[in-house]
Amino acid sequence: MAFIMKGSPYNAVNTPIYSVDMDDNVLGMAQNNGTILINKNVSPLELKKSKTVEHEMVHIDQMKRGDLNYTDSYVLWKGKKYSRAAMKEGDKKLPWEMEAYKKQ
C-alpha cells in the first residue's frame, strides 16, 4: 500500500545566491533566471543588517508572479515599461522597489 504526500512538510527556498564582483554602491540584484547576485565585498554581517537577500527575494517573487521583468534598457512592471536610463536604479519610489522595501 502506498501513500501520497501532499506538498512538502517544510518551506524550502531554492533560490541560488552567488557572491560576485559588483559596483561598490550595489549590494545585490535579482536576476531574470531566478538567482540572486550579492556584492562579494559585502560581509555576512552587512548582509544581515541590510536585508539584501530578503529584498532581492521580493524581486524574485515579483518575477515569478509575472509582475516584474527587465532588459538591459527597460524595466517592465505590470505591463508598463520604464526606461532604465531615465531612472535611479533602486529608488524607493519605484513601484517594484516600494514593495521590496516594505517587505524586507
Side-chain angles (χ1 to χ4, degrees), residues 9-21:
Y10 50 88
N11 199 4
V13 175
N14 296 319
T15 301
I17 300 171
Y18 300 100
S19 182
V20 299
D21 283 325

Side-chain angles (χ1 to χ4, degrees), residues 15-34:
T15 301
I17 300 171
Y18 300 100
S19 182
V20 299
D21 283 325
M22 295 179 134
D23 291 336
D24 288 337
N25 60 339
V26 177
L27 294 176
M29 69 175 64
Q31 301 291 290
N32 284 337
N33 65 5

